[in-house]
Structures are given as C-alpha cells and as structure tokens.
C-alpha cells in the first residue's frame, strides 16, 4: 500500500482544522441568533432587502421534509464519510487545492446543521433576504450553497472527467495489478 506523502498529511490536517473552525463559526453565529433574535422582532440590516430573523427549522430548505431528524442526520453522516473518502483518495496535485477548500466548506455546513439537529431537533436559521422572500438560512447553508455552486462551475469548466479517476474502484484495482 502507498505511504501517504508529507504534503498529503499536511493537507488533511489543515482540512480538519478548517472544518473545526468553520463549524465553530457557524455554531457561534447560531448561538448569537438564539441570544439576540429569539422571541424578538427581526433586526433590519438593509430596509426591505436583508434582515436577521430567528427561525427554528425542523425541515430542509423551503420547509420540505419537516421533522425528519433521523433522515437528515443519516444524510449528513453519509456526506461526511464521502467527503472524507474523497479527501483521502485525492492526489496531492496543486489542481485539487480548490477542491479541498470546497469539500471542507460542504463538510462544515453538513456538520454544523447536523450538530443542531442532534442537540435540539431543529436547525437555527436567521438570515433572511426580504427582497426576494428567500427562505431563512444560516452560515452552514452558505458554506454548502456557495461551495456546491463553485464545485459545479469547476466541474463544468476546469476539471476533466479523468481528473476524477482517483475515485474509481476500477482504477485502484488496475493500480494494484501493475504493482
């Protein structure tokens, strides 16, 4: 079996530290929302555009799948395992640096919202774009949405299909046969 390079170990440690920091930031903002927004009127940041408005969300975006805690926790755990697998398998080539960041953001968002669901059976949402009546969301949602959007752009315009060969089970088998 291949020995993990020093660069790869450093990347994985940095990935883990970043996940912890991003989750901590998400949890801090949710704690502040609970302290300063719960049972209080919305705080208008930009009139008729943006407000801070407390919401206990026991479902997904747009109010879908209400009270499905076990489902959401299982999905989050699955996402975290998949991301961990991809990060461990990912080559330590410079072209994957941005993918590390995007996967860390997605993992952080999944973990942040999962923590809420496990601790209190709902996710704390508090950011509301009034101008477009967008569902109230939180920092973890921003991580996931922005990272997923950028990942799609990279997948369409930067990465090629063979850039993901490191995920193929077939490729692993061929590599073992060559050795």
């Amino acid at each position: 079996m291949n020995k993990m390079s020093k660069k790869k170990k450093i990347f994985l440690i940095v990935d883990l530290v970043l996940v912890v920091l991003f989750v901590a930031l998400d949890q801090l903002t949710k704690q502040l929302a609970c302290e300063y927004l719960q049972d209080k009127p919305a705080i208008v940041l930009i009139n008729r555009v943006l407000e801070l408005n407390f919401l206990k969300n026991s479902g997904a975006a747009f109010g879908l799948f209400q009270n499905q805690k076990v489902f959401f926790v299982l999905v989050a755990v699955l996402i975290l395992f998949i991301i961990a697998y991809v990060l461990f398998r990912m080559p330590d080539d410079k072209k994957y640096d941005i993918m590390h960041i995007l996967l860390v953001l997605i993992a952080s968002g999944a973990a942040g919202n999962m923590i809420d669901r496990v601790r209190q059976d709902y996710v704390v949402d508090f950011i509301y774009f009034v101008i477009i009546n967008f569902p109230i969301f939180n920092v973890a949602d921003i991580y996931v949405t922005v990272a997923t959007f950028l990942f799609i752009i990279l997948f369409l315009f930067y990465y090629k299909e063979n850039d993901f060969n490191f995920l193929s089970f077939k490729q692993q088998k061929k590599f073992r046969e060559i050795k």
Side-chain angles (χ1 to χ4, degrees):
M1 186 157 185
N2 279 9
K3 188 176 178 195
M4 193 181 301
S5 73
K6 184 176 179 178
K7 180 181 176 185
K8 178 85 166 181
K9 288 178 186 176
I10 291 169
F11 256 118
L12 292 174
I13 291 167
V14 169
D15 290 344
L16 183 60
V17 168
L18 287 174
V19 167
V20 169
L21 290 173
F22 286 139
V23 169
L25 176 63
D26 171 65
Q27 292 296 298
L28 174 65
T29 61
K30 290 172 178 173
Q31 181 60 41
L32 291 171
C34 289
E35 286 179 33
Y36 296 103
L37 299 173
Q38 190 171 6
D39 301 323
K40 295 181 177 102
I43 296 174
V44 177
L45 298 176
I46 303 172
N47 194 28
R48 291 185 279 175
V49 176
L50 180 65
E51 2 182 283
L52 300 178
N53 195 344
F54 186 86
L55 175 71
K56 293 178 180 180
N57 183 357
S58 60
F62 307 103
L64 299 173
F65 306 111
Q66 289 294 313
N67 302 311
Q68 299 295 316
K69 174 184 174 178
V70 173
F71 170 75
F72 287 121
V73 170
L74 289 175
V75 168
V77 168
L78 179 64
I79 288 168
L80 292 172
F81 273 116
I82 290 169
I83 289 173
Y85 174 79
V86 172
L87 288 172
F88 273 99
R89 299 281 312 146
M90 191 181 301
D92 58 3
D93 188 314
K94 188 165 179 61
K95 74 174 158 186
Y96 296 103
D97 290 357
I98 188 71
M99 193 183 304
H100 271 272
I101 295 166
L102 298 179
L103 291 174
V104 160
L105 286 169
I106 293 169
S108 301
N113 283 341
M114 182 180 71
I115 289 168
D116 283 9
R117 289 185 198 287
V118 169
R119 279 183 45 227
Q120 52 205 19
D121 293 333
Y122 60 86
V123 173
V124 173
D125 288 333
F126 58 92
I127 304 168
Y128 179 45
F129 277 112
V130 179
I131 193 166
I132 57 174
N133 194 27
F134 195 79
I136 300 173
F137 57 98
N138 60 46
V139 173
D141 298 335
I142 294 170
Y143 298 158
V144 172
T145 304
V146 170
T148 302
F149 175 76
L150 292 175
F151 184 78
I152 290 168
I153 298 298
L154 287 173
F155 186 76
L156 292 174
F157 300 108
Y158 179 70
Y159 292 113
K160 308 293 181 252
E161 187 175 333
N162 63 347
D163 288 334
F164 296 96
N165 284 349
F166 67 91
L167 295 174
S168 170
F169 290 110
K170 242 195 247 181
Q171 196 71 15
Q172 293 170 26
K173 183 179 176 187
K174 283 181 187 176
F175 179 74
R176 280 192 218 121
E177 290 170 358
I178 292 170
K179 279 183 109 177

